[in-house]
């Protein structure tokens, strides 16, 4: 047990770093959500890029918790219409998996599956989970990402700075809070974030951006939620 505690604490720190890196990736100019001039993209399909980022973040959190060195990365658009959207690399940077992602309405996703342009299952939002030829998760070497719904991806695309703030704050608090745990760790930081961001999204969709005081309140909810996950000592799965 004494050897297990430092190991789990290290894993939590690694997972927190993965979440922070993911928050940074959301704001990278040219990565689909923020354009090269630093403005939020007005592309109505930007939620698809947000979906890719969120899947990669969830996968990397899981990898960190399981002490795995593999990582997923969203691939910025390079002009290749049928190219991969997400890559998974090992510790030396070797690509071990390439994933095609299509988020949206079931009819659109099914058309993409039937097009014959893609190999393997297409990664899609959880609403399309029952479509043949699709999957709602990245799964490589026993690491499995979290499912993402379309509304969540749309909200992140519309509010990337707020979403990045939430992810970064929750990850930072989770990393600190994990130092004193005994024999267990959080089950899923991202689930806390999903719930909190959903609340924020439903509040501000179609309205002016939240005030600083209101944002601080929601950040505190996210942080407290992550803290409680550590306190409960949910087993890593």
């Amino acid at each position: 047990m004494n050897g297990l505690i430092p190991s789990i604490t290290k894993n939590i720190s690694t997972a927190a770093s993965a979440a922070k890196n993911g928050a940074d990736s959301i704001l990278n100019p040219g990565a689909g959500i923020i354009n090269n001039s630093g403005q939020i993209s007005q592309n109505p399909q930007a939620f698809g890029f947000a979906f890719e980022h969120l899947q990669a973040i969830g996968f990397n959190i899981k990898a960190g918790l399981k002490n795995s060195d593999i990582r997923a990365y969203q691939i910025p658009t390079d002009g290749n219409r049928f190219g991969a959207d997400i890559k998974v690399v090992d510790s030396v940077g070797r690509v071990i998996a390439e994933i095609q992602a299509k988020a949206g309405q079931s009819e659109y996703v099914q058309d993409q599956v039937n097009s014959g342009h893609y190999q393997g299952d297409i990664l899609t939002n959880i609403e399309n989970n029952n479509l043949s030829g699709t999957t709602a998760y990245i799964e490589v070497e026993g690491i499995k990402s979290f499912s993402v719904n379309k509304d969540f991806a749309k909200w992140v695309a519309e509010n990337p700075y707020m979403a990045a703030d939430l992810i970064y704050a929750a990850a930072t608090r989770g990393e600190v809070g994990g130092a004193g745990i005994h024999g267990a760790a959080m089950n899923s930081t991202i689930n806390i974030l999903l719930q909190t961001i959903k609340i924020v999204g439903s509040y501000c969709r179609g309205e002016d951006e939240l005030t600083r005081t209101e944002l601080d309140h929601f950040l505190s909810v996210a942080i407290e939620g992550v803290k409680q996950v550590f306190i409960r000592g949910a087993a890593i799965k």
Side-chain angles (χ1 to χ4, degrees), residues 115-158:
S115 70
H117 294 306
Y118 311 107
Q119 296 182 346
D121 289 345
I122 288 178
L123 179 67
T124 190
N125 43 296
I126 189 63
E127 294 90 341
N128 300 325
N129 192 40
N130 293 327
L131 292 181
S132 175
T134 70
T135 178
Y137 311 92
I138 302 171
E139 189 166 8
V140 180
E141 293 189 1
I143 309 297
K144 189 175 181 180
S145 68
F146 300 95
S147 62
V148 175
N149 67 54
K150 181 182 175 182
D151 284 345
F152 175 38
K154 288 184 69 174
W155 186 85
V156 171
E158 293 166 0

Side-chain angles (χ1 to χ4, degrees), residues 179-193:
I181 64 169
H182 298 285
M186 66 177 177
N187 182 33
S188 129
T189 297
I190 201 73
N191 282 340
I192 297 294
L193 300 175

Side-chain angles (χ1 to χ4, degrees), residues 81-82 100 102 107-120 122 132-133:
R81 181 179 176 188
F82 305 120
Q100 181 68 44
K102 296 293 180 184
E107 294 84 358
Y108 163 73
V109 174
Q110 191 65 70
D111 285 346
Q112 299 306 306
V113 171
N114 296 337
S115 70
H117 294 306
Y118 311 107
Q119 296 182 346
I122 288 178
S132 175

Side-chain angles (χ1 to χ4, degrees), residues 18-33:
K20 294 175 186 177
N21 291 339
D24 291 338
S25 73
I26 288 174
L27 302 180
N28 283 342
I33 303 177

Side-chain angles (χ1 to χ4, degrees), residues 166 196 199-200 203 210 214-223:
L166 281 166
T196 305
I199 293 170
V200 179
Y203 180 88
L210 296 175
E214 291 168 327
L215 177 56
D216 285 344
H217 168 69
F218 283 114
L219 284 172
S220 70
V221 171
I223 293 167

Side-chain angles (χ1 to χ4, degrees), residues 47-57 74-75 85-86 101 138:
F47 74 89
F49 298 115
F51 172 79
E52 296 163 11
H53 284 288
L54 293 167
Q55 280 283 353
I57 291 170
Q74 188 259 5
I75 303 173
D85 298 304
I86 299 170
I138 302 171

